[in-house]
Amino acid sequence: MNEIDWAQVDDVLLDMDGTLLDRHFDNYFFEEALPRRYADTFREDFAESKQRLMQMYRAVEGKLAWADLDHWTRTLGIDVVALSREWAHLIGYLPDAVEFLGQLRTMGKRVTLVTNAHPGGIQIKTGRTGLDRHVDRIVGAFDLGFLKMQPDFWPACREAVMFDPARTLYVDDDETCLAAAEQYGIRHIYHSAKSSSRLPADPSARFPAIATLSDLTGG
């Protein structure tokens, strides 16, 4: 990975889940906790419920409904936001995330959290971690009407934040989001390879990959 010339970066766009926050919460919630609550509620076998929900997730992947907690509440008949609060103790930062945010503030960079997360999920996670206090603003997919992997997200995000793509750095654990940003013209793009504390690193073959955010500052 080439060393970053931070003098050439004004704006830093950071994904939330899998970049700043440990994706273990999301993986566990959607693959274990929610299917188990569904199985208990409708008296189904857990394995069957999990398979059913995974198929339902895949059917709307890449659409706003995929990340919409209200959609899943209506579809599954379970209060998904309330269930998220029950498991909020699993929400936490990835290593070096808070330190990295402090370094960005010291360097005078403008930091924007860009996330596909539903507003209900954002509220739970910022309430648990105080993440909103470490960034200048939060721009969500539900604010703009597009997910980050959709090309229309990026011009809308630029209009909201007024960043110069040539002087912007963006980090995400989702390659499809990075690809959309690259196509739009964002210059400095990095892949968060260690998105979950419970899973091994999975570096991108396409984008420069980092194990922790401190790799970007040499910390």
Side-chain angles (χ1 to χ4, degrees):
M1 183 180 70
N2 295 328
E3 186 175 348
I4 298 170
D5 181 359
W6 282 100
Q8 301 301 314
V9 175
D10 296 326
D11 281 277
V12 179
L13 309 180
L14 298 171
D15 168 52
M16 183 169 67
D17 303 310
T19 299
L20 290 168
L21 300 186
D22 192 339
R23 189 172 281 282
H24 171 62
F25 166 80
D26 300 272
N27 292 343
Y28 184 85
F29 182 82
F30 287 103
E31 296 174 16
E32 299 293 332
L34 184 53
R36 192 167 298 283
R37 178 62 57 87
Y38 185 89
D40 292 345
T41 299
F42 298 102
R43 299 182 179 181
E44 288 190 358
D45 177 74
F46 170 69
E48 292 179 1
S49 291
K50 182 173 181 178
Q51 183 179 21
R52 184 195 306 274
L53 266 62
M54 297 301 286
Q55 290 173 344
M56 294 170 74
Y57 300 157
R58 287 192 290 270
V60 293
E61 191 169 0
K63 302 176 182 179
L64 272 177
W66 176 63
D68 188 345
L69 301 187
D70 294 333
H71 164 79
W72 293 115
T73 293
R74 293 189 301 268
T75 301
L76 302 177
I78 294 168
D79 189 336
V80 176
V81 173
L83 185 61
S84 298
R85 291 194 185 97
E86 290 182 32
W87 290 95
H89 60 279
L90 295 181
I91 298 169
Y93 286 99
L94 284 167
D96 299 340
V98 174
E99 292 78 6
F100 176 70
L101 291 167
Q103 289 176 303
L104 293 179
R105 184 161 300 231
T106 299
M107 289 190 287
K109 306 305 176 185
R110 186 169 59 162
V111 182
T112 301
L113 186 69
V114 289
T115 178
N116 284 335
H118 181 266
I122 295 172
Q123 184 179 37
I124 292 169
K125 289 173 178 176
T126 56
R128 179 75 182 180
T129 64
L131 176 57
D132 53 321
R133 298 194 296 272
H134 294 282
V135 300
D136 293 296
R137 68 177 299 171
I138 299 172
V139 175
F142 289 82
D143 300 320
L144 305 183
F146 307 101
L147 296 177
K148 291 181 295 177
M149 60 276 291
Q150 297 174 315
D152 288 337
F153 177 91
W154 294 101
C157 183
R158 183 182 184 183
E159 184 175 348
V161 180
M162 300 304 295
F163 62 81
D164 178 355
R167 297 184 61 84
T168 297
L169 182 144
Y170 171 44
V171 189
D172 203 305
D173 66 312
D174 189 319
E175 289 191 22
T176 61
C177 298
L178 295 174
E182 181 184 54
Q183 184 178 15
Y184 182 66
I186 292 180
R187 181 177 180 184
H188 307 281
I189 291 181
Y190 293 90
H191 177 245
S192 175
K194 189 76 167 68
S195 62
S196 168
S197 61
R198 307 298 179 91
L199 296 174
D202 185 20
S204 169
R206 177 173 177 180
F207 300 103
I210 58 171
T212 70
L213 289 165
S214 63
D215 292 342
L216 296 173
T217 54

